[in-house]
Amino acid sequence: FNQFWDLFQNNNLNFRPHWGMNLPSPISAEGPSYFQSQFPKWNDFMNLRKQFDPDNIFLTTYWKQQLGIS
């Protein structure tokens, strides 16, 4: 799916990815900062995520990187 991410990004196409697909590398231009810009309620989501999992029991290394959580 990386070719589609590149195509959309390079042509300034506004798209919201389905997270069930292969997400691009978190260090790419389509990483956590991109998601934050595409999802207006990003901060609400992150606050709820933290509220429901305060000890990060369900937070894998993969999702930690994808969501930009240090």
Side-chain angles (χ1 to χ4, degrees), residues 10-30:
N10 292 338
N11 290 288
N12 295 318
L13 296 174
N14 187 16
F15 68 102
R16 294 172 83 178
H18 184 281
W19 290 17
M21 301 296 177
N22 177 25
L23 294 176
S25 168
I27 59 170
S28 71
E30 296 86 13

mmCIF file of all heavy atoms in Angstrom, residues 10-30:
data_model
loop_
_atom_site.group_PDB
_atom_site.id
_atom_site.type_symbol
_atom_site.label_atom_id
_atom_site.label_comp_id
_atom_site.label_asym_id
_atom_site.label_seq_id
_atom_site.Cartn_x
_atom_site.Cartn_y
_atom_site.Cartn_z
ATOM 1 N N ASN A 10 1.904 12.881 -2.559
ATOM 2 C CA ASN A 10 2.601 13.669 -3.580
ATOM 3 C C ASN A 10 1.654 14.521 -4.420
ATOM 4 O O ASN A 10 2.073 15.510 -5.014
ATOM 5 C CB ASN A 10 3.419 12.765 -4.492
ATOM 6 C CG ASN A 10 4.588 12.129 -3.771
ATOM 7 O OD1 ASN A 10 5.054 12.630 -2.746
ATOM 8 N ND2 ASN A 10 5.067 11.011 -4.279
ATOM 9 N N ASN A 11 0.382 14.138 -4.474
ATOM 10 C CA ASN A 11 -0.601 14.887 -5.257
ATOM 11 C C ASN A 11 -1.543 15.698 -4.381
ATOM 12 O O ASN A 11 -2.571 16.170 -4.855
ATOM 13 C CB ASN A 11 -1.388 13.925 -6.154
ATOM 14 C CG ASN A 11 -0.516 13.392 -7.266
ATOM 15 O OD1 ASN A 11 -0.183 14.115 -8.196
ATOM 16 N ND2 ASN A 11 -0.116 12.146 -7.160
ATOM 17 N N ASN A 12 -1.153 15.865 -3.124
ATOM 18 C CA ASN A 12 -1.932 16.673 -2.175
ATOM 19 C C ASN A 12 -3.403 16.261 -2.114
ATOM 20 O O ASN A 12 -4.285 17.112 -2.042
ATOM 21 C CB ASN A 12 -1.814 18.158 -2.498
ATOM 22 C CG ASN A 12 -0.403 18.650 -2.307
ATOM 23 O OD1 ASN A 12 0.258 18.299 -1.346
ATOM 24 N ND2 ASN A 12 0.075 19.449 -3.248
ATOM 25 N N LEU A 13 -3.649 14.951 -2.188
ATOM 26 C CA LEU A 13 -5.005 14.450 -2.064
ATOM 27 C C LEU A 13 -5.335 14.283 -0.587
ATOM 28 O O LEU A 13 -4.602 13.637 0.151
ATOM 29 C CB LEU A 13 -5.152 13.105 -2.790
ATOM 30 C CG LEU A 13 -4.958 13.159 -4.302
ATOM 31 C CD1 LEU A 13 -4.983 11.765 -4.887
ATOM 32 C CD2 LEU A 13 -6.027 14.018 -4.936
ATOM 33 N N ASN A 14 -6.414 14.886 -0.183
ATOM 34 C CA ASN A 14 -6.842 14.809 1.203
ATOM 35 C C ASN A 14 -7.538 13.470 1.412
ATOM 36 O O ASN A 14 -8.600 13.232 0.864
ATOM 37 C CB ASN A 14 -7.775 15.970 1.511
ATOM 38 C CG ASN A 14 -8.114 16.044 2.982
ATOM 39 O OD1 ASN A 14 -7.454 15.442 3.811
ATOM 40 N ND2 ASN A 14 -9.141 16.790 3.296
ATOM 41 N N PHE A 15 -6.933 12.597 2.173
ATOM 42 C CA PHE A 15 -7.518 11.284 2.399
ATOM 43 C C PHE A 15 -7.361 10.893 3.860
ATOM 44 O O PHE A 15 -6.472 11.373 4.545
ATOM 45 C CB PHE A 15 -6.869 10.230 1.503
ATOM 46 C CG PHE A 15 -5.431 9.933 1.837
ATOM 47 C CD1 PHE A 15 -5.105 8.784 2.547
ATOM 48 C CD2 PHE A 15 -4.406 10.782 1.457
ATOM 49 C CE1 PHE A 15 -3.779 8.504 2.866
ATOM 50 C CE2 PHE A 15 -3.088 10.505 1.767
ATOM 51 C CZ PHE A 15 -2.772 9.369 2.476
ATOM 52 N N ARG A 16 -8.260 10.067 4.311
ATOM 53 C CA ARG A 16 -8.217 9.572 5.682
ATOM 54 C C ARG A 16 -8.066 8.063 5.606
ATOM 55 O O ARG A 16 -8.960 7.376 5.152
ATOM 56 C CB ARG A 16 -9.480 9.974 6.422
ATOM 57 C CG ARG A 16 -9.554 11.490 6.590
ATOM 58 C CD ARG A 16 -10.861 11.904 7.140
ATOM 59 N NE ARG A 16 -10.831 11.746 8.593
ATOM 60 C CZ ARG A 16 -11.839 12.074 9.368
ATOM 61 N NH1 ARG A 16 -12.950 12.540 8.845
ATOM 62 N NH2 ARG A 16 -11.753 11.928 10.659
ATOM 63 N N PRO A 17 -6.952 7.547 6.052
ATOM 64 C CA PRO A 17 -6.662 6.126 5.877
ATOM 65 C C PRO A 17 -7.514 5.230 6.768
ATOM 66 O O PRO A 17 -7.932 5.619 7.850
ATOM 67 C CB PRO A 17 -5.196 6.024 6.297
ATOM 68 C CG PRO A 17 -5.009 7.146 7.261
ATOM 69 C CD PRO A 17 -5.898 8.251 6.771
ATOM 70 N N HIS A 18 -7.751 4.043 6.268
ATOM 71 C CA HIS A 18 -8.377 2.998 7.071
ATOM 72 C C HIS A 18 -7.255 2.303 7.818
ATOM 73 O O HIS A 18 -6.299 1.818 7.224
ATOM 74 C CB HIS A 18 -9.118 2.010 6.175
ATOM 75 C CG HIS A 18 -9.854 0.977 6.940
ATOM 76 N ND1 HIS A 18 -9.240 -0.120 7.489
ATOM 77 C CD2 HIS A 18 -11.158 0.889 7.276
ATOM 78 C CE1 HIS A 18 -10.135 -0.860 8.115
ATOM 79 N NE2 HIS A 18 -11.305 -0.275 8.000
ATOM 80 N N TRP A 19 -7.332 2.250 9.126
ATOM 81 C CA TRP A 19 -6.234 1.747 9.930
ATOM 82 C C TRP A 19 -6.074 0.244 9.841
ATOM 83 O O TRP A 19 -5.121 -0.320 10.338
ATOM 84 C CB TRP A 19 -6.390 2.178 11.378
ATOM 85 C CG TRP A 19 -6.172 3.639 11.570
ATOM 86 C CD1 TRP A 19 -6.170 4.618 10.606
ATOM 87 C CD2 TRP A 19 -5.915 4.307 12.790
ATOM 88 N NE1 TRP A 19 -5.938 5.846 11.163
ATOM 89 C CE2 TRP A 19 -5.784 5.679 12.517
ATOM 90 C CE3 TRP A 19 -5.799 3.881 14.104
ATOM 91 C CZ2 TRP A 19 -5.528 6.616 13.484
ATOM 92 C CZ3 TRP A 19 -5.553 4.826 15.075
ATOM 93 C CH2 TRP A 19 -5.414 6.180 14.765
ATOM 94 N N GLY A 20 -7.011 -0.443 9.191
ATOM 95 C CA GLY A 20 -6.879 -1.884 9.008
ATOM 96 C C GLY A 20 -5.884 -2.224 7.913
ATOM 97 O O GLY A 20 -5.482 -3.372 7.767
ATOM 98 N N MET A 21 -5.506 -1.237 7.142
ATOM 99 C CA MET A 21 -4.524 -1.452 6.079
ATOM 100 C C MET A 21 -3.115 -1.244 6.621
ATOM 101 O O MET A 21 -2.932 -0.824 7.748
ATOM 102 C CB MET A 21 -4.773 -0.481 4.915
ATOM 103 C CG MET A 21 -6.123 -0.588 4.302
ATOM 104 S SD MET A 21 -6.283 -2.228 3.569
ATOM 105 C CE MET A 21 -7.945 -2.167 2.983
ATOM 106 N N ASN A 22 -2.158 -1.500 5.794
ATOM 107 C CA ASN A 22 -0.762 -1.309 6.158
ATOM 108 C C ASN A 22 -0.482 0.176 6.340
ATOM 109 O O ASN A 22 -0.573 0.951 5.401
ATOM 110 C CB ASN A 22 0.117 -1.888 5.042
ATOM 111 C CG ASN A 22 1.582 -1.682 5.291
ATOM 112 O OD1 ASN A 22 2.010 -1.535 6.425
ATOM 113 N ND2 ASN A 22 2.355 -1.664 4.241
ATOM 114 N N LEU A 23 -0.177 0.563 7.551
ATOM 115 C CA LEU A 23 0.150 1.966 7.806
ATOM 116 C C LEU A 23 1.603 2.225 7.431
ATOM 117 O O LEU A 23 2.456 1.358 7.591
ATOM 118 C CB LEU A 23 -0.071 2.301 9.282
ATOM 119 C CG LEU A 23 -1.510 2.238 9.771
ATOM 120 C CD1 LEU A 23 -1.566 2.492 11.273
ATOM 121 C CD2 LEU A 23 -2.374 3.231 9.036
ATOM 122 N N PRO A 24 1.899 3.418 6.940
ATOM 123 C CA PRO A 24 3.279 3.740 6.585
ATOM 124 C C PRO A 24 4.160 3.827 7.834
ATOM 125 O O PRO A 24 3.677 3.906 8.956
ATOM 126 C CB PRO A 24 3.182 5.087 5.885
ATOM 127 C CG PRO A 24 1.900 5.661 6.324
ATOM 128 C CD PRO A 24 1.000 4.534 6.695
ATOM 129 N N SER A 25 5.432 3.847 7.602
ATOM 130 C CA SER A 25 6.392 3.943 8.696
ATOM 131 C C SER A 25 6.109 5.192 9.526
ATOM 132 O O SER A 25 5.832 6.263 8.975
ATOM 133 C CB SER A 25 7.810 4.023 8.127
ATOM 134 O OG SER A 25 8.721 4.387 9.132
ATOM 135 N N PRO A 26 6.181 5.075 10.857
ATOM 136 C CA PRO A 26 5.906 6.243 11.702
ATOM 137 C C PRO A 26 6.926 7.369 11.539
ATOM 138 O O PRO A 26 6.664 8.487 11.951
ATOM 139 C CB PRO A 26 5.920 5.683 13.116
ATOM 140 C CG PRO A 26 6.564 4.360 13.044
ATOM 141 C CD PRO A 26 6.438 3.880 11.634
ATOM 142 N N ILE A 27 8.061 7.097 10.911
ATOM 143 C CA ILE A 27 9.046 8.163 10.692
ATOM 144 C C ILE A 27 8.903 8.789 9.302
ATOM 145 O O ILE A 27 9.678 9.646 8.927
ATOM 146 C CB ILE A 27 10.493 7.661 10.914
ATOM 147 C CG1 ILE A 27 10.826 6.517 9.975
ATOM 148 C CG2 ILE A 27 10.702 7.265 12.356
ATOM 149 C CD1 ILE A 27 12.284 6.119 9.969
ATOM 150 N N SER A 28 7.863 8.373 8.550
ATOM 151 C CA SER A 28 7.623 8.941 7.230
ATOM 152 C C SER A 28 6.789 10.215 7.343
ATOM 153 O O SER A 28 6.328 10.582 8.425
ATOM 154 C CB SER A 28 6.894 7.920 6.345
ATOM 155 O OG SER A 28 5.563 7.757 6.795
ATOM 156 N N ALA A 29 6.568 10.854 6.208
ATOM 157 C CA ALA A 29 5.751 12.072 6.180
ATOM 158 C C ALA A 29 4.305 11.781 6.572
ATOM 159 O O ALA A 29 3.574 12.688 6.960
ATOM 160 C CB ALA A 29 5.782 12.691 4.784
ATOM 161 N N GLU A 30 3.895 10.529 6.469
ATOM 162 C CA GLU A 30 2.534 10.138 6.824
ATOM 163 C C GLU A 30 2.473 9.528 8.218
ATOM 164 O O GLU A 30 1.606 8.746 8.531
ATOM 165 C CB GLU A 30 1.973 9.127 5.815
ATOM 166 C CG GLU A 30 1.824 9.663 4.417
ATOM 167 C CD GLU A 30 3.116 9.532 3.619
ATOM 168 O OE1 GLU A 30 4.028 8.818 4.060
ATOM 169 O OE2 GLU A 30 3.217 10.152 2.565
#
